[in-house]
Amino acid sequence: MEWRERITVDPAVCHGKPCIKGTRIMVSVILDNLAGGVPTEAILKSYPSLDPEDVRAALGYDADLSRDRYVVLPGTPG
């Protein structure tokens, strides 16, 4: 699955933040929920316009971003 098929950026929608295509659900909302331990099933129940592929697309988007950028953590050489 290619995340680019499901995620869009439009300056007129959510201030240009990446969103799931056809919605105003920002990728960051999905990732924040996952990081907080919310199961995919609960996210899908809270946002019925999403499907499991949208959640996987958000993770794929995040994975691609992490390949291009990194954050130096405290206590690591940097």
Side-chain angles (χ1 to χ4, degrees), residues 14-30:
C14 295
H15 306 286
K17 302 286 185 185
C19 292
I20 300 302
K21 194 176 284 186
T23 76
R24 292 183 170 270
I25 302 168
M26 293 182 292
V27 171
S28 62
V29 169
I30 297 169

Side-chain angles (χ1 to χ4, degrees), residues 1-2 4 8 12 25 29 33 36 39 41 46 48-49 58-59 61 65 68 71:
M1 191 266 311
E2 175 59 42
R4 288 171 183 84
T8 187
I25 302 168
V29 169
N33 275 278
E41 296 78 22
S46 294
S49 60
L59 288 169
Y61 173 84
L65 283 181
D68 295 333
V71 176

